[in-house]
Amino acid sequence: MQPSIDNPGSAVPAHPAGGLVTPRSDFFAALAWIAFGFAVSIGAWRMDRLENQDVPPYAVPGLLPFFLGVAIMFFAGLMLARSWRRGALAAGAPRATRMTPAERKRFLLVLGLCLAFSVLLVGHGLPFWLAATVFVSATIIVLQYQQRRAVNQVWRGVVISIVIGLCAGFGVTVVFQKIFLVYLP
Amino acid sequence: MLDGLASLGQAYLALLMSPTSIALGMAGALTGILVGCLPGLSATLCIALLTTLTVKMNAHDAILILVCSYVGTLYGGSRSAILLNIPGTAANAASCADGHALALRGEAGRAIGIATSGAFCGTLFGVVCLAAFTPLLARVALSFGAQEFFWLALFGVTMSGTLVGDDPLKGWLMGAFGLFVSQIGQEGIYAYDRFTFDIPALSGGISLIPALIGAFGFAEVLTRLADPVERKLVEMKDSIRPRFDEVARYWRTVVRSGAIGVLTGLMPGVGEDSGAWMSYAAAKATTKEPELFGKGSIDGLMSAETGDMSSIPGHMIPMLALGVPGSAPSAVLMAAIIIHGIQPGPMLMVEHPMFAYQMVAMTTLATISILIFGLFLVRPLLLVLRVKHSVLMPIIFLMSVVGAYATAWRLFDVYAMLAIGIGAFFLRRKGYPMAPFVLGIVLGNLLDKSLRRGLVLTDGSLLPFFARPICIFFATITIFTMLLYIPAFNAAVHRVIGAITGSFKSLIAWRG
């Protein structure tokens, strides 16, 4: 897999793409894209044509979105046909590799922490430095817990994580808010 | 011509006379190198975060920091490619095989020296092209009308979808999706709300910076933290001095890769990694030692680093002259330039005649900065590579939240960043490239306005979209590129090319 601009650091991908992308997964993704493209086209078609403002039909706001919906359906249709030809629906067609239970647990944990910080803690009255300190410390503690427990250094890890969290919280607040005068949530 | 040289001299002089600007530029380059060293943190993310940090600064200093960080990030990415076998940014992926092979042989310092000298020469080559071609292209672009801009925008998204990633179909889908996302919110001609579902926050649309931070920052945080494997760093034992003697020996590679980098940079939406890979392929095709490629070839490493670095000024040329960015990082840079009140595009040389030359001077400062830091700060910079993901990524996410919020002070932008980041995480796993999506968001407005304005100007006739000379050029390439995906058409093209090459060879043989 040639690494691409959007996938930095992917010369040695964490997950082999062959396992994650199969004709079967492409087939179902194509169906979802077709549904999405259809919804976009319908939304664009039903959009106000501003006839009361004497807007000509070739300058209506929904013109490009309509064609984009059609284009998405067209490309998704090609992907659907391609994956079907590659045996997406054949008996025994390989299914895409899913996350291992450990990966899924870690992913959900990280996602939960990130969402808790950005949706619940930020912008609801708590000082930013405090919210940032809590988030960074908690995330490091959680992510390093297994390793720390293996070497019997859980409390040492907690202290180090809190110190890093405080440095990050204060550091980001001072640099953004005090030095560069950027307003923080 | 002489006016241009005078303006260029003036821009260099102004930069030289301002120690503050030089210090800020070098700080930007150093920040970029540090970010580039860290695998996964892209130039796009670095520029997006620095855009929010510098939003209150004066335009010149802010853009100087961004340009220097852009160059610094791509240079810094070679460190982790060589020492960890993970490219710091995608553009350094071509350096992995040969750079890491040299490092494993105990020649890590030599590899870094070659990368530094290749990066310096490549960027300098690109800077010369930036100074020479931007005013020329801007003059040509003055004759562009709505129809030309329509095709240019479509060409950019199509080329990005075709060349970035492995699967053009997925690239085009992401390009179309990005174009759709840019249509959300109030449109620019009649101020009509599109796809807002009566949510007031959506009227402002999905801003580019939060979208980019989501796609390149939050998605990367999730990817890295879901996979806990830490890579082993190769120890550096030998000298790190830049190898200009090797530049002299491989001057053909440097010039060829520099030219390829600039040419790929001129293509909208293609990205720096294409410059590196194409230069690498060209070097492999012309070298006398192709068997060494991938096993520690100096030629290979030099070509990859020169190609990717020379493409940076290359990407700035269409960004400045046409208002069409050449890559995802240059798209953010363009957004930042617009935030600071300068509109890139054909009118740039009329409205801000000095700006293109100031960009040349800024890029030159960035080039000199990477050489200085490459020489004197090698070992301290390596400490960054030892920071654990579990420590670094929460801090990156923290900065991503601040970055998404700080441009417009809207929590909605933070939520948009989260949604796009989660979507990008799953899409990337399924092989969907993000660069066409970014280009789509950037070019969507231009495409929409150009299409409708073009049709209004011609009273609904599509003929001028296919009859004007520049339109014919862009339309032909765009349609041809997409038709190449059809196997029968592709086979026919290959047959024709084969027949022409065969006839040419036989003609040469007959004359010989």
Side-chain angles (χ1 to χ4, degrees), chain A residues 20 58 61 82 106 181, chain B residues 56 167 194 225 430 434 459:
Chain A
L20 287 168
Y58 42 79
R82 186 184 68 180
R106 209 175 151 90
L181 307 175
Chain B
K56 293 277 180 72
D167 188 346
R194 292 189 289 207
L225 289 182
K430 294 292 174 196
M434 285 298 131
D459 211 12

Side-chain angles (χ1 to χ4, degrees), chain B residues 309-382:
Chain B
M309 294 304 285
S310 65
S311 71
I312 300 173
H315 286 310
M316 290 180 188
I317 299 172
M319 180 197 76
L320 290 172
L322 304 173
V324 175
S327 63
S330 61
V332 204
L333 185 62
M334 189 174 99
I337 291 172
I338 294 169
I339 287 172
H340 285 286
I342 297 162
Q343 180 64 51
M347 291 304 286
L348 181 83
M349 296 302 288
V350 179
E351 290 166 354
H352 304 277
M354 278 302 289
F355 185 71
Y357 299 109
Q358 284 169 342
M359 288 284 281
V360 173
M362 290 173 192
T363 318
T364 311
L365 175 64
T367 314
I368 295 165
S369 302
I370 59 166
L371 183 66
I372 292 170
F373 293 130
L375 264 175
F376 296 110
L377 278 183
V378 173
R379 288 182 202 278
L381 283 174
L382 296 184

Side-chain angles (χ1 to χ4, degrees), chain B residues 461-483:
Chain B
S461 167
L462 278 172
L463 193 65
F465 280 87
F466 295 93
R468 293 161 67 114
I470 298 169
C471 290
I472 293 172
F473 173 75
F474 282 125
T476 308
I477 299 178
T478 307
I479 295 167
F480 184 79
T481 308
M482 297 183 99
L483 285 176

Side-chain angles (χ1 to χ4, degrees), chain A residues 1-17 19-22 25-26 29-30 33 36 39-44 46-50 53-56 58-69 71-80 82 85-86 96-100 102-104 106-107 110-111 113-115 117-120 122-124 128 131-133 135-137 139-141 143-144 147 164-165 168-169 172 175-177 180-185, chain B residues 39-42 44 49 52-57 65 85-91 93 96 150 163-170 172-177 179-180 183 187 189-190 192-195 215-216 218 220-228 231 270-274 277 327-329 388-391 393-395 397-399 401-403 405-406 409 411 414-415 417-418 422 425-436 444 447-448 451-452 455-456 458-460 482 485 487:
Chain A
M1 181 180 138
Q2 179 180 313
S4 50
I5 191 152
D6 47 90
N7 198 3
S10 65
V12 188
H15 309 276
L20 287 168
V21 184
T22 61
S25 67
D26 276 353
W33 279 113
F36 176 72
V40 170
S41 298
I42 294 294
R46 293 177 60 184
M47 213 174 264
D48 193 342
R49 300 193 184 156
L50 307 178
Q53 293 181 38
D54 292 330
V55 172
Y58 42 79
V60 294
L63 185 71
L64 183 67
F66 176 77
F67 286 121
L68 288 175
I72 289 171
M73 281 194 286
F74 175 70
F75 294 136
L78 286 178
M79 197 160 90
L80 190 81
R82 186 184 68 180
R85 282 183 61 176
R86 289 178 183 175
T97 313
R98 295 190 173 182
M99 284 182 184
T100 62
E103 270 181 324
R104 194 180 306 126
R106 209 175 151 90
F107 167 72
V110 171
L111 183 63
L113 284 162
C114 291
L115 290 178
F117 167 66
S118 46
V119 178
L120 301 177
V122 169
H124 298 291
F128 185 80
T133 303
F135 167 70
V136 173
S137 308
T139 309
I140 298 173
I141 291 168
L143 292 175
Q144 293 188 346
Q147 287 168 297
I164 295 172
V172 169
V175 170
F176 276 82
Q177 204 160 35
F180 288 95
L181 307 175
V182 175
Y183 189 67
L184 292 179
Chain B
L41 300 188
S42 56
T44 314
L49 291 177
T52 55
L53 194 70
T54 56
V55 79
K56 293 277 180 72
M57 294 175 76
I65 290 175
N85 199 21
I86 305 175
T89 69
C96 268
F150 168 80
L163 294 174
V164 176
D166 299 331
D167 188 346
L169 257 187
K170 289 181 177 173
W172 297 332
L173 267 171
M174 288 308 287
F177 183 52
L179 288 170
F180 164 74
Q183 305 302 300
E187 51 93 33
I189 298 182
Y190 304 109
Y192 180 80
D193 278 353
R194 292 189 289 207
F195 303 107
F216 291 89
F218 186 35
E220 192 60 38
V221 168
L222 291 175
T223 306
R224 295 280 154 185
L225 289 182
D227 169 40
R231 291 244 157 192
V270 172
E272 290 83 3
D273 48 338
S274 300
W277 282 112
S327 63
K388 285 193 160 82
H389 283 161
S390 54
V391 173
M393 289 300 155
I395 299 172
F397 179 71
L398 182 67
M399 291 169 70
V401 171
V402 174
Y405 178 80
W409 302 349
L411 276 176
V414 176
Y415 305 144
M417 180 273 287
L418 293 171
I422 295 168
F425 170 78
F426 287 109
L427 285 167
R428 277 166 51 163
R429 282 172 66 88
K430 294 292 174 196
Y432 291 90
M434 285 298 131
L447 189 73
D448 180 42
L451 173 65
R452 291 192 285 155
L455 285 170
V456 168
T458 58
D459 211 12
M482 297 183 99
Y485 188 73

Side-chain angles (χ1 to χ4, degrees), chain B residues 240-295:
Chain B
I240 48 85
R241 71 176 172 79
R243 269 44 181 194
F244 286 108
D245 49 336
E246 274 165 330
V247 171
R249 198 180 324 147
Y250 292 100
W251 68 270
R252 281 190 187 86
T253 303
V254 171
V255 173
R256 188 195 323 109
S257 305
I260 292 173
V262 172
L263 285 173
T264 52
L266 284 171
M267 272 191 264
V270 172
E272 290 83 3
D273 48 338
S274 300
W277 282 112
M278 285 182 195
S279 304
Y280 189 79
K284 194 174 178 181
T286 50
T287 185
K288 288 172 187 160
E289 301 165 323
E291 71 281 359
L292 289 181
F293 273 62
K295 296 170 189 161

